[in-house]
Amino acid sequence: MGDPLGSEASQLVLELIISRKCGISFGLLLKPSSSSERSLLSPLDRAAIGALAGAFAGGLTYVALLPLDAVKTRLQTLPSSSASASSAVAAASSILRSHGPLGFYRGLSAVLLGSAASSALYFATCELAKSLLHTLTLTLNPFFVPPLAGALGNVVSSAVMVPKELLTQRMQAGAGAHRRTLDLALHILREDGVFGLYAGYAATLLRNLPAGILSYSSFEYLKAFALRLTKKPHLEPAHSVACGALAGAISASLTTPLDVVKTRLMTQPQGEGSRKVFETMRQIVLEEGWAGLGRGIGPRVLHSACFAAIGYCAFETARLAILQWYIQQREKAMVKSAA
């Protein structure tokens, strides 16, 4: 089949080998928007690198911030009259009294496996979409590439994200006698079938699409701005953290009402699965006022800012490390071929 990267890419690899022997840094190759990287990597290569880096970043970030997510879920599911729903501190104290410190990590196995898989799908789709959409720059304004890539990534990753969040949030809300995530999953499958794991799917998409577009696009725009200011080929870790935190805070603050509706749908009692998104939203407004749609906004914004800061920093770091390893393997292959 020949060289999968093509003759132009092979020439680039040879030039990189010469550059390294001459003491020239090839750090510019790591710049996401550089022409050399786009030439060296096929869209599938970018997707594979994105999947590996995304799996690492997703698993690390979701597990690290699970306690904040548990507090947010407790705030959104308890009645507004409950003392435990009065503040984030009260909700955290309630979790400690009910389940101890390990209560903040209920649903851990679903989070670890589900987040790694969904993040791998998300970033793989985003990287693939960006690579393919960049080829349409003659007919598509580059400004619209990040929003479209973020939207596609969320649509694909929600197939894994929804069951993961449903299991995690039911465990956090106190899913009866189920002590293990696997037991809860089997119970849902017996009672409601496969579709039972996708309760709140429409609400999740309704939330994730705008949230994904806002978060991913904000990060990409802030990243481009930071690279332009620093004149460096890639983001430093501190810059990744700052850009990610700001992008996550913007996205979370604007999409909290959708997250409240999604959480209510996922944690509703058995037998109420037919309730629709707008019906749930209407019920929340009638019972709690418009403020009810902002329940948990503090922990959610804090969680999303921390999540995006850690997640994007981990993703960028892992992506650059994998990319550098890939280049080194290509160099070794070219040296053997030349010998």
Side-chain angles (χ1 to χ4, degrees), residues 2-339:
D3 187 352
L5 294 177
S7 58
E8 181 182 356
S10 300
Q11 181 63 33
L12 281 171
V13 174
L14 287 174
E15 290 174 1
L16 285 171
I17 297 172
I18 297 172
S19 299
R20 292 187 91 186
K21 289 183 177 179
C22 295
I24 300 173
S25 172
F26 64 97
L28 288 176
L29 180 66
L30 301 181
K31 185 177 180 180
S33 59
S34 66
S35 59
S36 57
E37 180 182 321
R38 288 198 297 270
S39 299
L40 183 62
L41 299 179
S42 71
L44 290 180
D45 291 329
R46 293 176 66 90
I49 292 174
L52 292 173
F56 168 76
L60 171 68
T61 309
Y62 274 99
V63 171
L65 297 177
L66 190 57
L68 276 176
D69 190 58
V71 172
K72 181 215 68 168
T73 300
R74 180 60 64 95
L75 280 171
Q76 291 179 346
T77 54
L78 289 176
S80 57
S81 58
S82 172
S84 300
S86 59
S87 68
V89 174
S93 299
S94 174
I95 294 173
L96 280 173
R97 287 194 302 271
S98 301
H99 306 289
L102 293 180
F104 291 106
Y105 291 92
R106 288 172 66 87
L108 176 63
S109 59
V111 169
L112 186 59
L113 295 175
S115 60
S118 62
S119 294
L121 280 173
Y122 175 77
F123 281 107
T125 304
C126 287
E127 291 295 304
L128 179 62
K130 277 200 308 181
S131 182
L132 294 176
L133 289 170
H134 275 305
T135 64
L136 304 175
T137 50
L138 293 178
T139 56
L140 178 67
N141 190 319
F143 179 84
F144 297 109
V145 171
L148 289 173
L152 290 171
N154 274 280
V155 169
V156 173
S157 63
S158 288
V160 176
M161 180 75 71
V162 171
K164 185 269 296 183
E165 287 199 3
L166 182 140
L167 293 171
T168 301
Q169 292 185 342
R170 287 197 181 178
M171 291 294 292
Q172 290 171 344
H178 300 291
R179 294 180 176 272
R180 296 189 308 166
T181 305
L182 179 60
D183 294 335
L184 175 60
L186 293 175
H187 174 74
I188 293 173
L189 287 172
R190 284 194 302 268
E191 295 293 324
D192 303 317
V194 175
F195 290 108
L197 293 173
Y198 285 88
Y201 182 76
T204 302
L205 276 182
L206 188 62
R207 179 205 65 176
N208 281 359
L209 282 177
I213 291 172
L214 285 168
S215 178
Y216 189 76
S217 300
S218 297
F219 179 78
E220 288 291 310
Y221 298 147
L222 290 168
K223 175 181 175 181
F225 179 71
L227 292 175
R228 192 176 301 114
L229 283 181
T230 59
K231 294 181 171 58
K232 291 185 177 181
H234 58 84
L235 289 178
E236 297 295 329
H239 298 152
S240 295
V241 169
C243 291
L246 185 55
I250 292 171
S251 174
S253 61
L254 295 177
T255 58
T256 293
L258 299 175
D259 186 61
V260 173
V261 174
K262 184 270 306 177
T263 300
R264 294 291 178 89
L265 285 170
M266 284 186 167
T267 56
Q268 64 190 355
Q270 299 292 330
E272 297 185 13
S274 60
R275 194 192 302 172
K276 300 296 188 291
V277 172
F278 292 105
E279 181 184 341
T280 302
M281 185 178 293
R282 180 174 176 273
Q283 182 179 357
I284 292 172
V285 173
L286 286 175
E287 294 178 356
E288 305 174 35
W290 290 101
L293 293 175
R295 293 276 296 276
I297 189 172
R300 174 169 163 76
V301 169
L302 177 61
H303 174 274
S304 294
C306 294
F307 175 86
I310 297 173
Y312 280 119
C313 181
F315 173 75
E316 289 291 315
T317 302
R319 191 188 74 87
L320 292 173
I322 295 169
L323 179 59
Q324 184 172 351
W325 173 85
Y326 176 81
I327 292 170
Q328 290 173 347
Q329 297 306 307
R330 291 296 301 158
E331 289 178 357
K332 292 178 181 178
M334 293 305 300
V335 168
K336 290 181 179 179
S337 178

